[in-house]
Amino acid sequence: MVKEAKGRHTALVVEDDPEMAEELRDLLRSVGHDTVSVPSQEEALGLLDTGKFCFVLLDLQIKTAPDSIKARVEAGKTLLRKIRELFPARNQDDHHHLQILVMSGYAKDMPDVIQCLQDGADDFIIKPLSGNNPSLTAKLEESLHKSKRASHAECPGVMDLARRECAPNGSSTAIPSPGVQLSISGESQGKRTGIVIGGKASFLPDAQFLLLMRLVAGRVRDGQGWVHKVDLGSSDAEGFKGMSNLASAIQSLLPEGFAFYENDKKGSYRIHPVIVVGKIDHDRLGQHSSREVRRLSSEIMAIR
């Protein structure tokens, strides 16, 4: 059972080394924080729905289950993606409401650490802890500041927001949780291909469907999903009419208040983070009339 701290921030610590877990527990206690500590991906997954923690310290190399023989980087990366899937939202300063700090003590893990930062981690902690500059406690203080958790009294409200996605343009209205799922059925109707968003089916013209596939591939590649308009097929130096046309076709399928895409104002676009990419029928897409769609389907399938 997870006990909610009274007036004290609580860290979810996922660390399979008992000595390191105890060192983290002592350090956090010294700065007034409590901990919920588990050694495996499986045990951490069992705690996610409670939401009774204020930030996460995640060792990159952990055991999949308590009885696993060996700790694996893949277990930490999978857990990171699951936590970020459940708590995806950012505040108006573009910082996650729930901060995840990834820990590693191996130089060979650096490519994986970089990938984790791209997949939703907010900072990186070096082991041994004395090797951090700024210090671990300074990084924790900064993460709490970024997530607007000046005191623990604010944490329940912030955790509620963490499951949502902020509305565009700095509005105080939050987009409803838990988001919308985008699936690609791959079914063909003439020169149109089937998709499903939020349970509503539609068929997109070939040009719009290819654009959607390029955006989906961008999401799968690095988790952030930004794709420059040139890579999306635009030759327009000013705007991108293709994105506007695709958004118009999809917007009617979305619940009120949801946006289909984001624009970084520098020429890049992405599917809005509140839209979750679900099932893709790669068998059907492998028979698609567009060679580029077939290529993108293969790429997405290989990464996922």
Side-chain angles (χ1 to χ4, degrees):
M1 178 180 294
V2 180
K3 294 182 179 179
E4 189 169 7
K6 295 183 178 180
R8 294 162 64 95
H9 290 302
T10 299
L12 173 58
V13 177
V14 188
E15 170 60 71
D16 68 316
D17 184 310
E19 291 187 8
M20 177 57 67
E22 185 59 36
E23 182 179 352
L24 286 166
R25 189 178 302 112
D26 284 346
L27 178 60
L28 290 168
R29 283 176 181 166
S30 73
V31 293
H33 300 330
D34 286 335
T35 60
V36 177
S37 183
V38 292
S40 72
Q41 177 200 97
E42 183 179 286
E43 291 165 290
L45 287 173
L47 297 176
L48 294 185
D49 284 339
T50 70
K52 293 183 178 179
F53 44 86
C54 312
F55 58 92
V56 179
L57 291 176
L58 170 59
D59 185 23
L60 185 56
Q61 192 163 338
I62 58 173
K63 292 183 177 180
T64 302
D67 59 352
S68 296
I69 297 174
K70 185 177 180 180
R72 301 182 183 277
V73 169
E74 290 77 9
K77 292 164 69 175
T78 299
L79 179 57
L80 166 66
R81 290 193 292 268
K82 182 61 177 179
I83 297 173
R84 189 52 76 212
E85 177 184 331
L86 290 176
F87 302 96
R90 296 174 179 267
N91 57 36
Q92 293 180 2
D93 293 332
D94 200 30
H95 298 301
H96 285 115
H97 289 292
L98 178 67
Q99 297 274 298
I100 305 173
L101 292 80
V102 171
M103 301 181 291
S104 178
Y106 300 94
K108 65 181 178 64
D109 288 342
M110 284 310 299
D112 293 303
V113 169
I114 293 170
Q115 184 63 56
C116 286
L117 292 172
Q118 294 174 337
D119 285 347
D122 298 286
D123 208 340
F124 171 49
I125 303 299
I126 297 171
K127 295 192 294 185
L129 301 181
S130 59
N132 288 277
N133 184 20
S135 67
L136 172 56
T137 54
K139 289 188 176 188
L140 291 180
E141 183 178 351
E142 177 67 12
S143 72
L144 290 169
H145 172 74
K146 288 179 177 178
S147 58
K148 310 294 186 185
R149 298 170 184 263
S151 71
H152 184 61
E154 298 170 285
C155 288
V158 174
M159 284 303 284
D160 182 57
L161 292 173
R163 296 181 183 271
R164 308 174 185 224
E165 187 66 35
C166 289
N169 302 323
S171 168
S172 60
T173 303
I175 292 176
S177 176
V180 175
Q181 180 165 287
L182 162 66
S183 300
I184 298 176
S185 69
E187 183 181 354
S188 294
Q189 281 192 358
K191 294 185 177 181
R192 293 173 175 264
T193 306
I195 65 168
V196 179
I197 295 186
K200 297 180 180 179
S202 184
F203 288 83
L204 296 177
D206 284 351
Q208 292 181 10
F209 183 71
L210 176 57
L211 176 53
L212 177 65
M213 286 291 290
R214 286 170 173 162
L215 288 167
V216 170
R219 166 75 71 82
V220 172
R221 284 186 199 111
D222 67 9
Q224 296 300 309
W226 292 109
V227 185
H228 195 272
K229 64 182 181 180
V230 172
D231 298 317
L232 292 173
S234 173
S235 58
D236 189 340
E238 297 300 324
F240 187 14
K241 189 175 180 180
M243 181 62 74
S244 299
N245 291 339
L246 175 60
S248 296
I250 289 179
Q251 196 62 48
S252 62
L253 304 175
L254 295 172
E256 184 178 355
F258 280 77
F260 167 63
Y261 73 93
E262 291 184 326
N263 177 0
D264 71 352
K265 310 301 183 183
K266 299 178 182 178
S268 293
Y269 298 81
R270 69 176 178 179
I271 297 172
H272 199 287
V274 78
I275 296 177
V276 178
V277 177
K279 182 178 179 181
I280 299 175
D281 192 327
H282 292 288
D283 290 336
R284 281 179 171 169
L285 292 182
Q287 305 299 317
H288 199 276
S289 60
S290 167
R291 180 179 180 180
E292 179 66 3
V293 166
R294 297 197 301 271
R295 185 193 69 78
L296 289 166
S297 174
S298 297
E299 178 186 349
I300 293 167
M301 182 168 55
I303 297 173
R304 296 183 91 186

